[in-house]
Amino acid sequence: MPEPVIELTGICRDFPADPPVRALDNVTLRVDPGDYMAIIGPSGSGKSTLLNVLGLLDRPSSGSFRLDGIETTTLRDGARTRLRGARIGFVFQSFHLLPHRTVTENVMLAEVYGRHPRRGRLARAKQALEQVGMGHRTGFQPGRLSGGERQRVAIARALMARPSLLLCDEPTGNLDSRNTEAVLDLFDGLRSQGLTILVITHEDEVSARAKRRVRIGDGVLTEQE
Amino acid sequence: MDIRDLWAESMAGMLARPIRSALTTLGTVLGITTLVVTMGIAATAGNQIVGRFDELLATSITVEVPQSSRQALVSWEAVAELRRLRGVLSATALAQSDKSSNLVVTANNLLDPTQVAGQTLAVVAATPNLQATTHGRLLAGRFYDAGHIIRRDRVVVLGEQAAAMLGITRLDHAPAVFINDRAYTVIGIIGGLQREQILAGAVLVPPTIGPDFGLKNVTRVLVGTQLGAAELIARQAALALSPNHAGELQVIAPPGPKRARDGAQDDVNGLFLILGLVSLIVGAVGIANVTLVTIMERVAEIGLRRALGATRRNIAAQFLLESSLIGLTGGVIGASLGTVAVVTVAAVRHWTPVLDIRLALAAPAAGALVGLLAGLYPALRAARMEPVDALR
């Protein structure tokens, strides 16, 4: 049996307040390579906290998180950052493209940090853009693109570093239904190429496309059949 | 992270807001310009003052000969000996006393009640090469020579003011002046004295005529030297003039050129250096302020970079480099403007611009340092940001 991409065991995350808030309560989750999973839940349910923990942006208060078999909770800041850059591709609701840079430069940003060869970077960026169907917009600045195009550029950037996990936070939250459809089709294509995708959403249309659905409520995870 | 990537990201960050970056450099530009101009003008002016000293003072030595009743300390002939010293261009012996300084001189012996007939003038005995030593110019006639001296001719050369006071403008009728009721032929008028300008109001007589007015002994020796020889000649002059009584002569030498330069620079530098440093500090505060604002605006970008694998060190390095580049730009512009200003001022005043090449090179480096220091705190703030907060 292959090593799971994500293995959460008894993860808790408390925020200091009076009384303390428990955003994640004893979460256990296993995501295997090639899984396409949706995490659904209303706002305030702990979705964002779970995403931050999964993206190595935040540390859980207790429990164990193994990413590709590597125990992350004991890693120091620098090692977690390197692991994040190498293994996780992020797709955000608000795209997070740099406004003054071209589409290609935005995609190439994924290889600026960490140990990536500079040689062939432009070719790899163009290939990633082709993969998301944006090969015809390489010299554009993000301000001249539609929302759906921007999100596809952001996905190309996430794919650029060849991550083992694509972590998407409300990827269609700012898109109309036609663009949503295009992005979801793209996810289906990437899934069929073997990429592990984890989407956090509150839209049923998005979660319906995923193979696995997990509902989160008050920090407690329940897998839906 | 590759250093070239760091460079490219910082350049892009700076150029993304070109107008803001340009305005941010202004403080550094002003500071560096002030510093370069201050140092450049001080060096240029200092050099210039030394240049003027060279012409007038730096080659002039005066030897005062105290009067003793027993004997002459310096003979008239000794001055010729002095000229054998290497570096002496000309030497002139003068004799003047309190008594000879107030003699009534008249241009004719007519008694004209409407005019002041006599002028009180100084009579000075001088050796013939006075013209060369004082850089004077003969306005009319000629100077007396060795022949006049040997023959004891009763001739005088008038200083330009003395001639004007006596109403003598032309020499073609061989005018005479009367001193102590004796007539002396005026053979020349000397003017344009650059040294011993007081002699312009004097009546100059050959040394052999001097005794008529009680001027037997040399009282003063004027020496003109080559550039740079003054210090050496000042040490040798007394011994050459009077080997037996060298210690009694008083040699007045020009100040060394080094001291002149330092003195000139000290006056100018202090105030303006402080001004330049204050502008630099203001510039640094400006850079710090704008960088801080920029970082607050770019929180989302910082979060994105952290998500893409940028370490805290990567983030700090990028913002430090950005502020250093802004400082460096200001330094380069400031150094250029300052150099242009120094050259312009020098050109307008017909001076030779003097600028230390190390200063011109150090100025941009100083600008970069200012930017680096100003960026320290903002860069630290950016690096300390938690990615979760930055992405929210």
Side-chain angles (χ1 to χ4, degrees), chain A:
Chain A
M1 196 167 171
E3 186 91 45
V5 178
I6 293 172
E7 195 174 18
L8 298 183
T9 319
I11 288 285
C12 295
R13 179 70 174 101
D14 300 320
F15 289 105
D18 196 26
V21 177
R22 174 152 284 197
L24 295 178
D25 191 1
N26 201 19
V27 169
T28 299
L29 179 70
R30 178 189 170 103
V31 179
D32 286 310
D35 268 358
Y36 182 5
M37 174 185 279
I39 296 174
I40 44 182
S43 58
S45 57
K47 273 189 317 206
S48 298
T49 309
L50 181 59
L51 176 103
N52 289 337
V53 168
L54 289 173
L56 299 178
L57 298 169
D58 198 7
R59 271 174 204 275
S61 306
S62 61
S64 152
F65 171 20
R66 293 168 76 86
L67 179 67
D68 283 342
I70 302 164
E71 177 57 55
T72 64
T73 48
T74 53
L75 291 179
R76 296 167 71 91
D77 194 67
R80 280 156 51 86
T81 301
R82 276 189 290 279
L83 194 64
R84 173 167 69 227
R87 308 280 174 122
I88 303 172
F90 286 92
V91 176
F92 303 99
Q93 179 176 4
S94 51
F95 322 133
H96 280 304
L97 298 175
L98 300 185
H100 300 282
R101 316 288 286 275
T102 64
V103 162
T104 327
E105 284 172 337
N106 265 291
V107 174
M108 288 199 296
L109 204 59
E111 280 198 3
V112 163
Y113 303 103
R115 293 203 189 94
H116 303 280
R118 281 169 63 88
R119 182 188 294 271
R121 182 183 292 176
L122 186 65
R124 288 194 294 278
K126 286 195 166 146
Q127 195 197 341
L129 282 165
E130 292 289 349
Q131 207 177 346
V132 299
M134 289 294 293
H136 57 300
R137 292 277 193 265
T138 49
F140 281 49
Q141 293 209 334
R144 297 181 55 198
L145 303 179
S146 74
E149 285 177 320
R150 287 185 212 185
Q151 193 59 295
R152 279 192 279 162
V153 171
I155 293 168
R157 179 181 62 200
L159 295 175
M160 174 89 172
R162 308 205 166 279
S164 44
L165 171 68
L166 194 63
L167 205 54
C168 312
D169 180 16
E170 301 278 5
T172 58
N174 283 344
L175 302 182
D176 58 20
S177 56
R178 200 165 57 85
N179 277 315
T180 299
E181 197 62 31
V183 167
L184 292 179
D185 287 347
L186 184 60
F187 284 161
D188 284 342
L190 293 171
R191 152 79 183 84
S192 64
Q193 288 166 29
L195 190 66
T196 312
I197 304 175
L198 206 150
V199 182
I200 289 183
T201 184
H202 66 273
E203 293 175 70
D204 293 336
E205 186 193 358
V206 178
S207 60
R209 300 281 283 262
K211 296 287 171 288
R212 289 175 67 195
R213 278 179 298 283
V214 174
R215 178 166 295 276
I216 184 167
D218 291 331
V220 180
L221 229 58
T222 41
E223 180 116 15
Q224 296 188 319
E225 294 308 321

Side-chain angles (χ1 to χ4, degrees), chain B residues 23-300:
Chain B
L23 289 175
T24 312
T25 61
L26 270 185
T28 326
V29 169
L30 286 179
I32 295 287
T33 307
T34 314
L35 283 182
V36 171
V37 167
T38 306
M39 292 183 181
I41 295 284
T44 303
N47 185 62
Q48 207 51 43
I49 292 163
V50 169
R52 207 181 305 145
F53 282 175
D54 289 347
E55 280 179 7
L56 286 169
L57 266 174
T59 59
S60 300
I61 297 173
T62 304
V63 183
E64 298 282 358
V65 184
Q67 294 305 299
S68 84
S69 49
R70 289 173 282 117
Q71 57 183 349
L73 292 181
V74 175
S75 72
W76 289 96
E77 291 73 27
V79 176
E81 298 297 311
L82 191 60
R83 279 162 64 188
R84 287 167 54 192
L85 288 179
R86 190 171 169 77
V88 174
L89 290 180
S90 62
T92 303
L94 300 176
Q96 189 177 7
S97 68
D98 288 345
K99 223 172 99 194
S100 82
S101 299
N102 294 298
L103 287 172
V104 177
V105 181
T106 51
N108 52 53
N109 50 8
L110 291 176
L111 288 173
D112 181 354
T114 65
Q115 270 189 334
V116 180
Q119 300 284 350
T120 305
L121 297 173
V123 174
V124 178
T127 49
N129 54 353
L130 178 89
Q131 191 195 344
T133 313
T134 57
H135 302 282
R137 186 160 46 88
L138 274 174
L139 303 174
R142 52 168 300 190
F143 216 88
Y144 47 78
D145 58 22
H148 293 107
I149 294 171
I150 293 167
R151 289 192 303 272
R152 296 173 183 271
D153 287 341
R154 297 210 309 212
V155 295
V156 297
V157 172
L158 296 179
E160 123 186 83
Q161 281 164 23
M165 285 161 81
L166 292 167
I168 294 172
T169 52
R170 295 166 56 184
L171 301 178
D172 41 3
H173 294 298
V177 291
F178 296 86
I179 312 170
N180 292 346
D181 294 330
R182 296 179 77 173
Y184 297 87
T185 310
V186 179
I187 60 165
I189 299 174
I190 190 168
L193 304 173
Q194 290 179 34
R195 201 181 154 187
E196 296 294 318
Q197 283 160 351
I198 194 142
L199 292 180
V203 178
L204 302 167
V205 300
T208 44
I209 298 298
D212 288 5
F213 313 101
L215 302 172
K216 285 194 190 113
N217 299 333
V218 176
T219 59
R220 197 146 43 117
V221 180
L222 307 179
V223 186
T225 71
Q226 283 176 347
L227 210 56
E231 218 171 313
L232 178 71
I233 300 298
R235 286 204 301 269
Q236 300 171 340
L239 203 60
L241 284 169
S242 182
N244 291 333
H245 303 281
E248 295 174 39
L249 305 188
Q250 192 187 348
V251 179
I252 301 165
K258 214 179 261 174
R259 266 186 293 158
R261 184 175 305 215
D262 293 348
Q265 278 187 350
D266 282 351
D267 299 339
V268 192
N269 275 6
L271 193 67
F272 281 92
L273 276 186
I274 291 172
L275 204 67
L277 288 177
V278 167
S279 322
L280 265 191
I281 292 170
V282 172
V285 171
I287 292 180
N289 209 355
V290 173
T291 309
L292 209 54
V293 170
T294 306
I295 282 170
M296 290 307 139
E297 277 181 6
R298 287 162 71 179
V299 166

Side-chain angles (χ1 to χ4, degrees), chain B residues 325-346:
Chain B
L325 281 173
I326 285 178
L328 178 70
T329 312
V332 169
I333 297 173
S336 314
L337 286 181
T339 307
V340 168
V342 169
V343 171
T344 308
V345 168

